[in-house]
């Protein structure tokens, strides 16, 4: 495991200032991002860049989301302690660690076996007993643990999967980027058993939300 030095902490403080300047106001989210060392979630080769506000490759054609995006989605979720949260797209595990650090009970699912295995091990280092990883196709949600207070999707979907609408509690929130090449961030609130209210919250770019499980992907660092 890598070290979290004073230098890393300093870079992290500057990143938090940048996020504030870009309009992130949720102090709990900013504190969580100030606590979790993002460089643990990147390949050594990117360590120097871990506290830039940029997305980076994590292998298997996937990326760790840009810090601003992680902060923005976390802020939209309005996370409260002990809430049950489903994350679709574990990826590097960074977003999951932020949600865990906010005190939520986090269920995170990933469809690529190689990433699931690697990230599960990394997250175990943080010893968060409130965070669990699953190898699943997130288009189906995680029915055996539903309903959830909040659901966050961290890959670009072409439509909102019905299973996710149905696996949120009444009063619950789903944050999901929807669109083909570029996505619009939707914040969807379930207002009754049969009604959902949708708000559009800006443009983003994510890797695609895909169906099925990819079992034999093997870890392939990006060239
Ligand atoms: N939250 C991640 C972002 C990773 S990128 C982070 O903080 O690093 C999005 C991830 O979603 C990728 O790892 C991709 O494999 C995964 N993904 C895409 N479609 C999925 C699906 N249907 N079910 C589960 N994971 C999915």
């Amino acid at each position: 495991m890598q070290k979290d030095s004073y230098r890393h902490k300093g870079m992290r403080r500057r990143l938090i200032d940048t996020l504030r300047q870009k309009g992130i106001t949720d102090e709990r989210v900013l504190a969580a991002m100030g606590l979790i060392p993002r460089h643990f979630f990147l390949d050594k080769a990117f360590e120097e860049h871990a506290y830039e506000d940029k997305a980076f490759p994590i292998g298997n054609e996937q990326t760790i989301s840009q810090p601003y995006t992680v902060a923005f989605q976390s802020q939209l979720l309005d996370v409260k302690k002990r809430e049950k949260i489903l994350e679709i797209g574990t990826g590097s595990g960074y977003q999951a660690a932020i949600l865990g650090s906010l005190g939520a009970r986090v269920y995170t699912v990933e469809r690529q076996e190689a990433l699931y295995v690697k990230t599960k091990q990394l997250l175990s280092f943080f010893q968060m007993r409130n965070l669990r990883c699953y190898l699943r196709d997130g288009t189906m949600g995680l029915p055996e643990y539903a309903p959830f207070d909040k659901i966050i999707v961290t890959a670009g979907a072409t439509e909102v999967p019905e299973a996710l609408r149905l696996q949120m509690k009444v009063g619950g929130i789903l944050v999901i980027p929807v669109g083909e090449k570029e996505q619009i961030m939707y914040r969807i609130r379930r207002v009754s058993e049969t009604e959902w209210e949708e708000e559009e919250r800006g443009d983003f770019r994510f890797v695609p939300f895909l169906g099925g499980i990819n079992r034999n992907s093997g870890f392939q660092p990006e060239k």
Side-chain angles (χ1 to χ4, degrees):
M1 184 47 63
Q2 306 173 45
K3 265 189 66 182
D4 189 27
S5 66
Y6 282 115
R7 201 170 62 83
H8 291 121
K9 290 188 176 101
M11 292 195 282
R12 208 143 67 228
R13 270 198 298 276
R14 284 196 291 281
L15 171 63
I16 302 309
D17 291 342
T18 305
L19 296 174
R20 251 185 239 285
Q21 280 158 20
K22 291 186 176 176
I24 302 297
T25 52
D26 188 329
E27 290 299 330
R28 293 165 306 162
V29 170
L30 292 167
M33 292 183 70
L35 209 63
I36 302 289
R38 187 172 185 252
H39 64 283
F40 286 12
F41 297 84
L42 288 167
D43 280 356
K44 260 276 185 214
F46 297 110
E47 185 175 339
E48 281 307 306
H49 305 286
Y51 298 101
E52 292 169 13
D53 191 17
K54 287 184 189 156
F56 286 103
I58 53 170
N60 297 83
E61 292 170 14
Q62 304 306 323
T63 54
I64 178 171
S65 300
Q66 184 183 339
Y68 175 75
T69 305
V70 172
F72 190 80
Q73 286 197 287
S74 304
Q75 179 166 295
L76 282 184
L77 272 186
D78 188 22
V79 182
K80 308 263 164 54
K81 281 211 165 80
R82 299 207 44 77
E83 274 181 343
K84 229 168 118 179
I85 301 192
L86 172 63
E87 181 197 22
I88 314 285
T90 312
S92 70
Y94 180 65
Q95 172 76 73
I98 297 297
L99 297 173
S101 153
L102 286 166
R105 287 176 289 157
V106 185
Y107 298 74
T108 182
V109 308
E110 172 57 55
R111 64 176 287 279
Q112 299 229 32
E113 188 172 27
L115 271 178
Y116 158 77
V117 170
K118 183 175 181 245
T119 299
K120 190 179 164 137
Q121 196 199 353
L122 171 68
L123 286 171
S124 69
F125 169 79
F126 290 93
Q127 297 187 317
M128 287 184 186
R129 295 182 55 204
N130 53 332
L131 198 166
R132 293 194 213 158
C133 300
Y134 301 85
L135 176 62
R136 289 298 175 83
D137 173 3
T139 51
M140 265 112 58
L142 197 59
E144 65 270 46
Y145 294 106
F148 297 94
D149 295 294
K150 313 276 168 74
I151 302 179
I152 170 173
V153 178
T154 66
T158 48
E159 56 181 11
V160 180
E162 197 58 20
L164 301 188
R165 286 187 193 273
L166 296 173
Q167 287 177 28
M168 58 206 270
K169 293 182 186 169
V170 171
I173 294 170
L174 164 62
V175 172
I176 179 169
V178 184
E180 302 265 345
K181 277 199 181 130
E182 285 180 11
Q183 293 84 32
I184 295 174
M185 192 68 76
Y186 280 87
R187 185 185 201 256
I188 302 175
R189 182 182 277 278
R190 186 171 193 176
V191 288
S192 74
E193 284 296 328
T194 54
E195 292 161 290
W196 289 263
E197 265 173 21
E198 301 189 355
E199 284 169 36
E200 294 185 7
R201 303 297 289 265
D203 300 327
F204 290 84
R205 236 173 219 270
F206 283 84
V207 296
F209 185 55
L210 302 169
I213 288 180
N214 186 358
R215 285 202 185 266
N216 302 310
S217 44
F219 182 66
Q220 301 151 352
E222 229 80 0
K223 300 252 156 48

